[in-house]
Amino acid sequence: EDQVTQSPEALRLQEGESSSLNCSYTVSGLRGLFWYRQDPGKGPEFLFTLYSAGEEKEKERLKATLTKKESFLHITAPKPEDSATYLCAVQGIMDTGRRALTFGSGTRLQVQP
Amino acid sequence: DVKVTQSSRYLVKRTGEKVFLECVQDMDHENMFWYRQDPGLGLRLIYFSYDVKMKEKGDIPEGYSVSREKKERFSLILESASTNQTSMYLCASSLGLFNEKLFFGSGTQLSVL
């Protein structure tokens, strides 16, 4: 059974204070690891897909990295508008028939001005 | 712009009522999903469909059923609502077998009293 654990549950940063969110996963053959952003009252919005260890993706102040056991979402010099819940999800090779992702419970990020 | 629309933002129902949650996507996507989101538990898959009139159980299908009569519409049915079905319900769609990107609706917050 695929499992995804995210830490910390909540993180409060000052504007400009860089940090990282962690996503640890267990999957029988990784097809892809996904990061989503969810604003209050809205559905999750896609950020990145990572496929293999060593891969990195960047978007504005966000950079996602992947190892064989975990992924990090690095936030550089965050701004208040980066405040959101960040969700990590995996799809295992055995899941492709299911076509569904297994999600973690998310990290709630608050960036204070 | 791509869109997944859920019919209601908030719903309040009584125990034992039959509840219909509707979801429509305008992207001609093959795959559609219903997740529920609860604090600390993340998103959990209820049902999914990869074609018209096709449906597959997810991780927590008990107490739910679904209908997909047209490609763009996927309905979640609570046959007899119970208080433990109070939750945020999220509909999503994606294209293809290896759904690279899920598109989510804004969610329906259901309260069962």
Side-chain angles (χ1 to χ4, degrees), chain B residues 39-76:
Chain B
L41 296 177
L43 277 75
R44 292 179 292 165
L45 181 66
I46 305 171
Y47 266 96
F48 69 101
S49 168
Y50 53 87
D51 201 353
V52 176
K53 297 193 184 292
M54 303 299 288
K55 59 186 179 184
E56 295 284 343
K57 293 180 180 179
D59 298 320
I60 51 164
E62 297 78 20
Y64 303 94
S65 62
V66 291
S67 172
R68 194 169 181 197
E69 296 294 321
K70 294 184 178 181
K71 190 175 185 179
E72 68 270 18
R73 186 180 298 270
F74 192 35
S75 302
L76 180 69

Side-chain angles (χ1 to χ4, degrees), chain A:
Chain A
E1 183 181 332
D2 301 343
Q3 288 191 331
V4 178
T5 304
Q6 292 187 246
S7 62
E9 285 187 22
L11 181 62
R12 182 178 294 179
L13 300 174
Q14 293 295 316
E15 185 171 1
E17 179 186 3
S18 301
S19 188
S20 297
L21 313 182
N22 177 262
C23 170
S24 298
Y25 65 90
T26 304
V27 66
S28 53
L30 181 69
R31 168 69 180 81
L33 184 141
F34 305 81
W35 283 97
Y36 284 80
R37 169 189 170 131
Q38 186 174 23
D39 293 300
K42 294 188 176 181
E45 182 178 337
F46 173 82
L47 290 173
F48 304 110
T49 306
L50 302 167
Y51 294 104
S52 58
E55 189 175 0
E56 299 183 352
K57 293 271 179 78
E58 285 189 67
K59 181 179 180 180
E60 297 180 356
R61 295 175 292 282
L62 301 177
K63 183 168 80 171
T65 62
L66 181 65
T67 72
K68 289 187 177 180
K69 293 184 178 180
E70 56 192 351
S71 176
F72 292 93
L73 185 65
H74 307 278
I75 304 176
T76 302
K79 297 182 178 181
E81 52 262 42
D82 295 321
S83 298
T85 296
Y86 291 86
L87 300 170
C88 174
V90 297
Q91 185 180 46
I93 291 173
M94 298 299 291
D95 296 335
T96 50
R98 234 167 66 110
R99 310 184 190 203
L101 309 184
T102 299
F103 282 84
S105 54
T107 293
R108 191 171 63 255
L109 174 66
Q110 185 178 6
V111 182
Q112 296 184 314

